[in-house]
Every structure is written in structure tokens, then in C-alpha cells.
Amino acid sequence: MSAPASARSPLATQGLGMAYAIGAIISAQFGSALAKTMMGDLGAWGVVALRMITSSLLLYLFFRPQVRQWTRPQWLAVIVLGVALFGANAFFYVAIQQVPLAIAVAIEFMGPLVLATVLSRRKLDLIWILLSFTGMAILTAESQSKPEDFALIGIFFAILTAVSRAAYILATERVGATIPGMGGMVMGNLVSTLLVIPFPFFITGNNLGKVITDPALLALGFAMGLLASALPALGEISALRMLTSNV
């Protein structure tokens, strides 16, 4: 059992927050890799819809948020979070349908890095940010060396993902500060799910309905929802309650 927040030193709190953040990143990458394998069956929008449906269901069943007493500002914070989460998920899956997963992830993390640069107040932070940018640039350059893997439309959606990811960090921090527990994150996921559900039915090449007749595909969908959304969401909101946005 972890110690109460009040009993931890600032260094221990920051270390635990970093552990939550790193765990969320690792889980999300495993989930994204799993999602990539499902693109041929469901299409990008089908995959992201299945991811959000399963993760929202898992989060709601586990936490069962009590929302009746929420104020208008709290609901507004949740809606903003849901919109940002919609962009971070939907645009990312459209991107990885067009470009390799590595380059999409590299561009996606440019959003948080730019945000960290803007919010940074220490020279040491800027050094770490510069090193991160260098690593991302190397990874991107390696991907550009393969013209067949480089689609401008994929890069465009990856950039939209980066912007959405930065907005998601700010929105998650706001929700974590205004709504106790995990209820805000749960309902933010639900808002995002409601926004994404119509797309697989209106965009050609997507087949969300296939999961109804394929139990194996549905099981993979729940695994994807757990790894790509549910666990990262819990890790991220826990981390943001312990860390500042620039970290």
C-alpha cells in the first residue's frame, strides 16, 4: 500500500508521478501496436471506436462515478477533456493507417514536448526537452528515408494528434484539480466515445459491426481498450496530480 500523499516527501511524490507517467506511456504503446494489427479488419475509425467503447465500459464499471452533484464548470472541464481525447485518439489512428507507428508516435509526442517547453521555467528542463526533440528528429529522419512509408496525409493527422495531446494534458490537469477521484476521467472517456461512434458508419472502409460476429476480435478490442486507453488514462491523471505540466 502506498503512503498517503501528505506523508510523502516532494521527491517521493515526483518519483511516483513519473512512474505513473512512464507506465501510462508503455501501456499505450502496447495498445497502439495491438490496434495496428486490427486495422485490416475494422479500419482506422472502427478501431478507435472499439477502443473508446471498451475503455469507457471498463472505466465506468470499475469506478461508477457519481455525477449528479457536479457543477457546470466541472461538466465543462469534462467536455473539453472529451473533445481533446477524441482528437488524440481518432487522429492518431488515422495517422498510423498511413505512416509507420514509430513516426506517428514521434510526431505525437512533439505536442507534449512543445507544451513542456512553453511551460518550463528551469534551464535543466530545457536541456532534457532539447534531447527529446533530438531523439524525435532522428526517428523521424529514419522514417523519411523510406519514401513508401511517408504519406503527407498521415503526417498531417499525426500533427493534429500532437496538438490534441497537448490539449489533453492541460484538460486532464484541469479535471484532476476540479473533480476528485477518477470520475472526471471516466466521463471524459464517455464524451469522447459518443463523439467517435458515428464515424465508422459514415466513412467507407470501416467495419465496426464485425466485432459482433467475431468473439476473438471483440476480445482483442477489450485488451486494446485496457492497454491503450483505460490504464493510460488512470496513469496520466494520477501523474498529473503529482507533477507539474512542464514535467
Side-chain angles (χ1 to χ4, degrees), residues 3-70:
S6 59
R8 296 192 207 103
S9 68
L11 184 60
T13 298
Q14 188 172 40
L16 184 58
M18 290 294 293
Y20 278 129
I22 293 171
I25 292 171
I26 293 173
S27 180
Q29 300 319 306
F30 277 107
S32 296
L34 180 60
K36 182 86 171 178
T37 67
M38 303 171 69
M39 291 285 185
D41 292 305
L42 304 179
W45 288 100
V47 168
V48 71
L50 181 59
R51 167 181 169 171
M52 296 312 303
I53 291 170
T54 54
S55 65
S56 293
L57 181 61
L58 290 169
L59 287 170
Y60 188 85
L61 290 176
F62 191 79
F63 291 104
R64 295 187 179 274
Q66 303 298 316
V67 302
R68 293 183 179 180
Q69 303 302 318
W70 284 6

Side-chain angles (χ1 to χ4, degrees), residues 50-132:
L50 181 59
R51 167 181 169 171
M52 296 312 303
I53 291 170
T54 54
S55 65
S56 293
L57 181 61
L58 290 169
L59 287 170
Y60 188 85
L61 290 176
F62 191 79
F63 291 104
R64 295 187 179 274
Q66 303 298 316
V67 302
R68 293 183 179 180
Q69 303 302 318
W70 284 6
T71 63
R72 183 176 178 180
Q74 287 175 317
W75 275 112
L76 181 59
V78 166
I79 292 171
V80 171
L81 173 62
V83 172
L85 188 58
F86 163 78
N89 283 292
F91 297 148
F92 178 74
Y93 282 102
V94 174
I96 65 175
Q97 193 177 38
Q98 302 291 331
V99 297
L101 180 61
I103 187 172
V105 171
I107 296 174
E108 175 192 15
F109 277 96
M110 290 295 182
L113 285 175
V114 170
L115 178 63
T117 302
V118 171
L119 298 177
S120 178
R121 295 180 176 84
R122 300 186 306 170
K123 293 182 178 179
L124 181 60
D125 290 336
L126 295 176
I127 293 174
W128 286 112
I129 291 167
L130 179 61
L131 289 173
S132 299

